[in-house]
Amino acid sequence: MNRFCKYHPGTDALWFCKHDGLYLCQQCVDGRDDNYSEARCLLCNQSVEPFGQGSTAPLWHRLDRFLQYPIQLSLLPALLIWAVVAAVIPPLPSLLALTVLGGIPSFGFAQAIMAGKAQSRKKHHRQRTPGWQELGSGHGWKGALLQAAPAVAVVLTAVALMIWVSPLAGLMVGVFGMLLVPALWLSIQVQGADPGAWAAALTYMVSAPRDYLVAALLAVIGWISSAAVVMVVMDVLPAPLTQAVGGALAAYWWLCLAAACAALLESHGRFWGLNPGAPRVTQSLGERREWVQLCAGRFDKVLLSSSKVVKTKKAGLADWKKFDHLLAILGKEQERQQQVEPYLDVLVAANDWPATLRLISEQRQRDIRWVPSGPAIRLAIAKGIYDLEPKTVVSLLKDMHQRHPDFTGLCEAYLLLAKTLGEKFGLSGKAEQYLRFVEAQNRDGKLRMQVNELRQAWSK
C-alpha cells in the first residue's frame, strides 16, 4: 500500500520513523553528508527504517525473471551481434580479445538496465526495458566500459589458463573472479563512472549479503555453464559455430546479471546513497530540518537554531527577519525588544526602509518616546525614510544636540532636519533656527553652501 509523506503531501513515503510514527519522504530524512546509509528523522533525529522494502521479494524469488529478461525483442539483437562477431573472428587465442567487440551493445544495455533503477526517474521509466535509442545518445558509455573491463579481464584470464595451463585452473579463476563482478558493477553505478569507484565494491558485498550472494552465484553459474557448453559443442560443431555459441551465451548471461544487479540497486540503493524514484534532494540539511520542524509546529527548536545563526557574522537580513518572526509567533515580546537595535542595524545596512519603519512603529507602540540609541543609526534611518515618513525623521533628529552633543555628524543631521521641516511641512521659520545652529557650529564650506541653497530655495 502506498503512503505519502507527512510533511510533503503527494510525495511517496520512503521511510518510517518508529519514534514519531511518521511516514517520511527523502527530503525529510537526515543522513550524514546526505548519505542515507545512516538515515535519521529530521524531526527527532532518531534512526528510520525504509518503508516498502519488506514488500520487495528477495532476489532468489525472482531468478526466473532474470533468466527470462534477455529474451525480449529489443535485447535479442544484442545476443545475435555478439554471436556473429565471435563467429567471424579466427579461432586463435591471440585474437580472443577482438571477439569481445561484439559485446559492446550488451555492455551498453547492461549499463542502461542498471541506470534505470539507480537514477531518479518516474516509475514507468524505471520499469521499462531500455531501447536502442538510449545507446545511440552516448550517455553512460564510460560507465558501461568500466563495468565491462573487470568482467572481460576475468574471462580472458580464465580462458587463457584453460587453454595453456589446465581447464580446472581456468574454471576456478573464473569462479572466484565472477564472485566479485557484481560488486564492481554496483560500485560504478553508485559511486560514478570512475575507476576509483571499484574501491567501494566490498561495501555492497557485506551490506546486502543474501541478495548479493544470489547475484554472485548467478554470475558464477553463467560462467560455468557457458564454459561447459562451449567445451561440449566444440567437439561436434565447426569452430565458427562454437564461437558463435560462446558469444550468444556471453551476451545472455551478461544481461541476466545486469537485471540482477538492477534489482539489487532497486532494493538496497537507498542504503548506498541512491534515491531511485524520487527527486534528488537539493536543499541543505539545515533547511530541510527547519522546514520539517516548522510543519510539525516545533517553533521553539527552529528558534533555537535561528538564535545561533543571528549571533554569527554570516547572518543576513533573511535570518534576522525569520528570527524576529519566530519570536513574534511564540509571543516572546521581551526578547524581541532586546533584539531591536541589532535587527535595526541589519535593516539599515540592507536599505530595507519599509521594514525599518515597521520595526520603529512596533517599538514605539511599546514605548512612545523610544528612539535608536546611537546617533549614527538615527541619521542613517532619517536619510533612508526622508520621502517615506518625514514625521519620523523629525522625531529622530530634533533633540540630537541634547543627547549627543559630541556627535561629529550633528550639523549634517540638523541640516537634514531643517530641510524636512521646510520642504515637507512648510515650517521655514523653525527650519531657519536649525540652519543658524549649523552655521554657528560648523565652518565646513560644503555645509554652509547647502545652507545658502536651502535659504534661496525657500525665498522663491
Side-chain angles (χ1 to χ4, degrees), residues 28-202:
C28 295
V29 170
D30 172 11
R32 185 177 61 189
D33 296 328
D34 284 344
N35 181 358
Y36 301 107
S37 60
E38 296 184 3
R40 291 184 176 276
C41 173
L42 281 174
L43 188 60
C44 64
N45 203 36
Q46 300 292 322
S47 297
V48 292
E49 57 187 37
F51 172 68
Q53 293 278 46
S55 61
T56 303
L59 254 63
W60 63 274
H61 283 171
R62 291 177 279 171
L63 277 176
D64 57 334
R65 299 183 188 177
F66 306 148
L67 297 176
Q68 295 171 13
Y69 195 86
I71 310 175
Q72 300 185 54
L73 187 61
S74 61
L75 299 180
L76 281 176
L79 279 66
L80 180 62
I81 291 172
W82 206 336
V84 170
V85 174
V88 299
I89 297 294
L92 297 174
S94 59
L95 297 177
L96 186 60
L98 295 178
T99 307
V100 177
L101 292 174
I104 287 180
S106 298
F107 303 160
F109 273 117
Q111 195 278 339
I113 291 167
M114 287 183 277
K117 298 298 176 66
Q119 296 174 359
S120 300
R121 299 182 178 183
K122 294 182 179 179
K123 185 174 181 180
H124 68 276
H125 285 159
R126 299 199 310 275
Q127 299 299 332
R128 69 180 180 84
T129 304
W132 284 86
Q133 70 276 7
E134 295 185 55
L135 305 186
S137 65
H139 177 71
W141 275 107
K142 182 179 179 181
L145 296 176
L146 286 173
Q147 288 170 178
V152 170
V154 168
V155 171
L156 292 181
T157 303
V159 170
L161 289 174
M162 291 175 67
I163 295 174
W164 290 324
V165 180
S166 73
L168 182 60
L171 283 174
M172 294 306 296
V173 168
V175 166
F176 287 112
M178 285 298 170
L179 289 173
L180 298 173
V181 166
L184 297 173
W185 284 16
L186 292 171
S187 64
I188 294 297
Q189 288 296 327
V190 176
Q191 301 294 329
D194 186 88
W198 289 330
L202 184 62

